[in-house]
Amino acid sequence: MKLYDSRVAPNARRVRMFLAEKGVSVPTVAVDLAKMEQKDEGFTALNPLQRIPVLVLDDGTAISESIAICRYFEETHPQPPLFGRDPMSRTLIEMWQRRVEFGLMTPIQLAFRHTHPAMREMETPQIPQLAEVNRPRALAFLQFLDAELAHRRFVAGDDFSVADITGYISVDFMKFARIALPDDLAHVRRWRDEVAARPSASA
Amino acid sequence: MKLYDSRVAPNARRVRMFLAEKGVSVPTVAVDLAKMEQKDEGFTALNPLQRIPVLVLDDGTAISESIAICRYFEETHPQPPLFGRDPMSRTLIEMWQRRVEFGLMTPIQLAFRHTHPAMREMETPQIPQLAEVNRPRALAFLQFLDAELAHRRFVAGDDFSVADITGYISVDFMKFARIALPDDLAHVRRWRDEVAARPSASA
């Protein structure tokens, strides 16, 4: 088993953090995005969509999409459950994983990809207006999340879940999109600091 | 139980088609997006993100995000399985559901939302350039999907799954984004026609 990985991509970090929470170690192969290695023929054969991360199983099956890779490990290493422990928590974690992904991670990534000089070749064309409209969207979502986190410990409930992984990594990536975390979001800050203190946060 | 629904929104149609495949009937409440009813106070209390569909359970729990609603019914009505029947198929269906959602549905919706006059109030600001860059992305994905569908009956394997629901509804929505399905995509056309013939396609 091999995980095609990158130290700079938030999606790859989601898988590493998930694996660390599960206590699973997988050999990694570094894909250098700055050298556009994700467009190499060998990597393209693993994922024609030319995106990392990709997990290659011993039988050669290549799994792409970070959340699909996480689900594979949830199936093979059920403890601790990070997608929920019963039908209702599995439903609410799916809801919050998607809310955080589309409401926070996507706007932050769009703001980054459409302005950062390092993305000039990867995101063509860069549309700076898209960054401008997405920064306030990320901030509006954080305000919504702050009100939610006033009532519970983690994003989707009392238990740490994959929704916290997506959320924490998104907030940590905001600096690259030149979005500052507002001082008055006390509940988001409390939650962010608590997740940052987990050993998996440095995976 | 009540499903807040719209006849014009692809995400709402995903849930209706999923329910029809499960043989489950749920009372619906129509939300008129043209009248911006999703911004009404009552609806906003159910989903502060002001998006449909929303499923409200008898205990008042409000579930938003179409795929989270589908997962709820997968949990409560497991047959036929539409998210996979074993760990590997559940992984691959998650992978393909996301590939189709981000590679096909999202570009088509962006092309629609950023050009269509009906979206002028809902998508602010409309960025026509975003539609221009996303039309070729949707077409490139369809080319990739065509090569995949040369080898198997459905998007994620031999069984019909939620990935086919997302894919079929996306292709059917292309007309509103002014994207024509190319004649030479024979495998996509074969698959599209096969899915269109299922009773759930008219749900």
Side-chain angles (χ1 to χ4, degrees):
Chain A
M1 193 184 282
K2 265 189 253 178
L3 179 67
Y4 287 77
D5 189 29
S6 152
R7 301 304 299 187
V8 298
N11 275 316
R13 192 180 175 197
R14 286 208 277 182
V15 172
R16 289 199 308 275
M17 191 165 172
F18 191 92
L19 288 171
E21 290 284 338
K22 291 280 186 186
V24 175
S25 168
V26 176
T28 60
V29 180
V31 179
D32 191 336
L33 303 181
K35 291 188 184 150
M36 303 279 257
E37 284 181 357
Q38 76 277 22
K39 310 238 173 196
D40 285 358
E41 205 180 324
F43 186 79
T44 302
L46 297 176
N47 184 7
L49 299 176
Q50 302 179 322
R51 286 193 203 111
I52 54 113
V54 172
L55 177 72
V56 179
L57 305 183
D58 292 340
D59 71 359
T61 305
I63 303 163
S64 59
E65 290 298 330
S66 51
I67 291 295
I69 296 172
C70 291
R71 274 201 195 272
Y72 174 81
F73 288 108
E74 182 86 351
E75 295 278 353
T76 55
H77 298 76
Q79 296 303 324
L82 296 173
F83 281 95
R85 47 183 85 242
D86 55 52
M88 205 58 226
S89 68
R90 283 194 285 272
T91 299
L92 295 177
I93 287 168
E94 174 80 72
M95 174 176 90
W96 277 103
Q97 203 299 119
R98 290 174 63 91
R99 278 181 163 180
V100 171
E101 186 167 326
F102 307 145
L104 188 62
M105 189 179 206
T106 300
I108 291 167
Q109 286 196 307
L110 287 171
F112 166 71
R113 297 180 68 96
H114 286 273
T115 51
H116 203 282
M119 295 303 294
R120 211 168 280 158
E121 275 177 83
M122 238 179 290
E123 188 65 52
T124 50
Q126 285 185 315
I127 305 174
Q129 192 189 0
L130 203 49
E132 274 164 48
V133 300
N134 274 288
R135 285 196 188 97
R137 283 177 194 167
L139 290 169
F141 186 90
L142 284 169
Q143 198 111 37
F144 162 56
L145 187 61
D146 196 69
E148 295 285 325
L149 285 170
H151 307 298
R152 57 183 184 269
R153 188 169 166 200
F154 291 113
V155 168
D158 294 332
D159 293 325
F160 182 85
S161 78
V162 67
D164 295 290
I165 293 178
T166 299
Y168 170 72
I169 288 172
S170 302
V171 168
D172 206 41
F173 196 74
M174 282 167 58
K175 52 184 178 282
F176 299 109
R178 290 187 289 118
I179 307 171
L181 184 61
D183 287 334
D184 60 346
L185 299 182
H187 306 292
V188 167
R189 287 180 171 274
R190 182 268 306 158
W191 159 82
R192 191 265 320 257
D193 293 346
E194 188 176 343
V195 176
R198 297 172 83 92
S200 66
S202 55
Chain B
M1 194 184 282
K2 268 189 251 177
L3 179 66
Y4 288 77
D5 189 29
S6 152
R7 302 303 298 185
V8 298
N11 274 318
R13 191 179 176 198
R14 288 208 277 182
V15 172
R16 288 199 308 275
M17 191 166 174
F18 191 93
L19 287 171
E21 289 284 338
K22 291 281 187 185
V24 175
S25 168
V26 176
T28 59
V29 180
V31 178
D32 190 335
L33 303 181
K35 290 189 185 150
M36 303 280 259
E37 285 181 357
Q38 76 277 21
K39 310 237 174 196
D40 286 357
E41 203 179 326
F43 187 79
T44 301
L46 298 175
N47 185 6
L49 300 176
Q50 303 178 320
R51 286 192 203 110
I52 54 110
V54 172
L55 177 72
V56 179
L57 305 183
D58 291 340
D59 71 358
T61 305
I63 303 163
S64 59
E65 289 299 329
S66 51
I67 291 294
I69 296 172
C70 291
R71 275 201 194 272
Y72 174 79
F73 288 108
E74 182 86 351
E75 295 278 353
T76 55
H77 298 75
Q79 296 305 322
L82 296 174
F83 281 95
R85 46 183 83 242
D86 54 52
M88 205 58 226
S89 69
R90 284 194 284 271
T91 300
L92 295 177
I93 287 168
E94 174 81 68
M95 175 176 88
W96 278 104
Q97 204 299 118
R98 289 174 64 91
R99 277 181 163 179
V100 170
E101 185 167 327
F102 307 145
L104 189 61
M105 188 178 207
T106 300
I108 291 167
Q109 286 195 307
L110 287 171
F112 166 71
R113 296 180 69 98
H114 286 274
T115 52
H116 203 285
M119 295 304 294
R120 210 167 283 158
E121 274 178 84
M122 238 180 289
E123 188 66 53
T124 48
Q126 285 186 315
I127 305 174
Q129 193 189 0
L130 203 49
E132 275 164 49
V133 301
N134 274 287
R135 284 197 189 96
R137 281 177 195 168
L139 290 168
F141 187 89
L142 285 168
Q143 198 110 38
F144 162 56
L145 187 60
D146 197 68
E148 295 285 326
L149 286 169
H151 307 297
R152 57 181 184 267
R153 189 169 166 200
F154 291 113
V155 167
D158 294 333
D159 295 324
F160 181 86
S161 78
V162 67
D164 296 289
I165 293 178
T166 299
Y168 169 72
I169 288 171
S170 301
V171 168
D172 206 42
F173 196 74
M174 283 167 58
K175 52 184 180 282
F176 299 109
R178 290 186 290 116
I179 306 172
L181 185 60
D183 287 334
D184 61 345
L185 300 182
H187 306 293
V188 167
R189 285 180 172 273
R190 183 268 305 157
W191 160 82
R192 192 265 319 256
D193 293 346
E194 189 176 341
V195 177
R198 298 172 82 93
S200 65
S202 55

